[in-house]
């Protein structure tokens, strides 16, 4: 009787543990990986070795270019950036899309800001008519992740 009770208690604990793991909110990488519009971005983040960073606690704000944004770059740019010998350049480009802290669109509304990126340079954010980051337009805002927020943009931001 005691053994059966212990076994059923153990099984219940494992079930609760599994449920707790499954109900964890998705992080920035999980959300991007779950959206086919970000497959190029996900491949780039992986090639740059930034997956663990973007899965960490953060919080981060990511201005996430779509596949179409990457496709609009000059021919061969993405292939070149994904090569192992240009990893440093890829890291610079990707971290130029990340701002420390979780910044939502309501915090940007009506503002004109110069914001430091994780890469070290500033992006110019104009929230007076929608939201623009440099010359990219935010097409979908405030995708909330467990470790920050994602804003979808229509162009790849290139550091100077």
């Amino acid at each position: 009787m005691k053994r059966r009770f212990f076994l059923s208690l153990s099984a219940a604990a494992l079930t609760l543990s599994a449920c707790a793991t499954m109900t964890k909110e998705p992080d920035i990488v999980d959300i991007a990986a779950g959206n086919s519009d970000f497959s190029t971005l996900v491949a780039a983040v992986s090639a740059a070795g930034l997956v663990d960073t973007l899965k960490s606690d953060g919080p981060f704000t990511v201005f996430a270019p779509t596949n179409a944004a990457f496709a609009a770059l000059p021919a061969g740019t993405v292939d070149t950036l994904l090569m192992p010998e240009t990893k440093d350049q890829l890291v610079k480009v990707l971290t130029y899309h990340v701002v420390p802290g979780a910044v939502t669109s309501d915090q940007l509304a009506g503002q004109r800001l110069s914001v430091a990126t994780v890469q070290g340079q500033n992006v110019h954010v104009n929230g007076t008519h929608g939201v623009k980051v440099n010359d990219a337009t935010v097409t979908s805002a405030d995708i909330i992740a467990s470790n920050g927020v994602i804003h979808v943009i229509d162009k790849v931001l290139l550091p100077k």
Side-chain angles (χ1 to χ4, degrees), residues 4-22:
R4 233 183 275 160
F5 176 74
F6 176 75
L7 289 175
S8 64
L9 188 59
S10 295
L14 284 173
T15 302
L16 287 174
S17 171
C19 289
T21 302
M22 292 188 316

Side-chain angles (χ1 to χ4, degrees), residues 14-44:
L14 284 173
T15 302
L16 287 174
S17 171
C19 289
T21 302
M22 292 188 316
T23 60
K24 178 183 175 261
E25 283 188 52
D27 58 40
I28 290 167
V29 174
D30 295 336
I31 290 172
N35 185 329
S36 61
D37 287 336
F38 295 129
S39 61
T40 305
L41 177 62
V42 170

Side-chain angles (χ1 to χ4, degrees), residues 74-146:
T77 302
V78 174
D79 291 335
T80 300
L81 285 172
L82 293 175
M83 295 169 59
E85 55 270 20
T86 58
K87 181 179 175 181
D88 290 345
Q89 184 63 31
L90 179 61
V91 169
K92 286 179 186 176
V93 169
L94 293 175
T95 56
Y96 189 61
H97 289 78
V98 181
V99 174
V103 182
T104 56
S105 61
D106 64 323
Q107 295 170 298
L108 301 173
Q111 306 278 333
R112 287 180 188 233
L113 307 164
S114 182
V115 182
T117 67
V118 171
Q119 182 263 354
Q121 293 180 19
N122 287 4
V123 289
H124 301 285
V125 178
N126 183 342
T128 57
H129 298 288
V131 177
K132 288 191 75 82
V133 182
N134 291 352
D135 62 345
T137 300
V138 173
T139 59
S140 182
D142 301 333
I143 301 169
I144 305 300
S146 63

